Amino acid sequence: QGQLVESGGGSVQAGGSLTLSCVASGGTDSNRYWGWFRQAPGKQREIVARYYTATGPIFYADSVKGRFTISQDSAKNTCYLQMNSLKPEDSGMYYCAAARSLMEWEKNRDWGQGTQVTVSS
C-alpha cells in the first residue's frame, strides 16, 4: 500500500475557496480510484466526491454539487478538491482515500491523515 498526504486546508470565511491536494507515494502502481471524505466533530465520516481515472468524477454529495470539483493528475499521482462558495457546514477534517483497484477501494483503500477546513460565517 502507498501513502497519501493531504494539504491545502485552512480557515476561510463563508463564500471563500480552498483547494485541497492529495499526493500519493510509495505504491507500486498508480491509483485509479480516488475520493475525498469529511468528518465534522460528533458526526460520521461522509463521502464528498469520488473520481475514477478512466472516466473522471463519478460522484458528488448533494451538499457540494455545483460548488466542489474533484480532479486528478495521473502524472503526479495527485488528486485535488477545488472548493468554492464554502459554507460553515463544510467545516471538518477532510480525508483523501485512494486505491489501485475497485476491490482495493471497497476493502482496503489507503487513507491520508486529514487536513482541517474551517469556514466561519
Side-chain angles (χ1 to χ4, degrees), residues 57-101:
I58 56 175
F59 174 83
Y60 288 103
D62 287 342
S63 58
V64 307
K65 283 180 181 177
R67 300 188 298 120
F68 290 12
T69 302
I70 187 170
S71 62
Q72 193 258 344
D73 185 334
S74 295
K76 297 180 179 180
N77 215 9
T78 300
C79 184
Y80 305 95
L81 185 68
Q82 173 69 42
M83 306 185 295
N84 298 325
S85 302
L86 282 163
K87 304 176 182 180
E89 51 264 43
D90 293 320
S91 297
M93 187 69 79
Y94 281 69
Y95 298 91
C96 174
R100 284 152 282 275
S101 68

Side-chain angles (χ1 to χ4, degrees), residues 31-52:
N31 290 303
R32 297 179 179 84
Y33 296 85
W34 298 82
W36 286 95
F37 295 73
R38 67 185 180 191
Q39 187 169 20
K43 293 188 177 181
Q44 288 189 330
R45 187 174 300 188
E46 62 176 354
I47 180 75
V48 174
R50 285 185 61 187
Y51 189 98
Y52 176 45

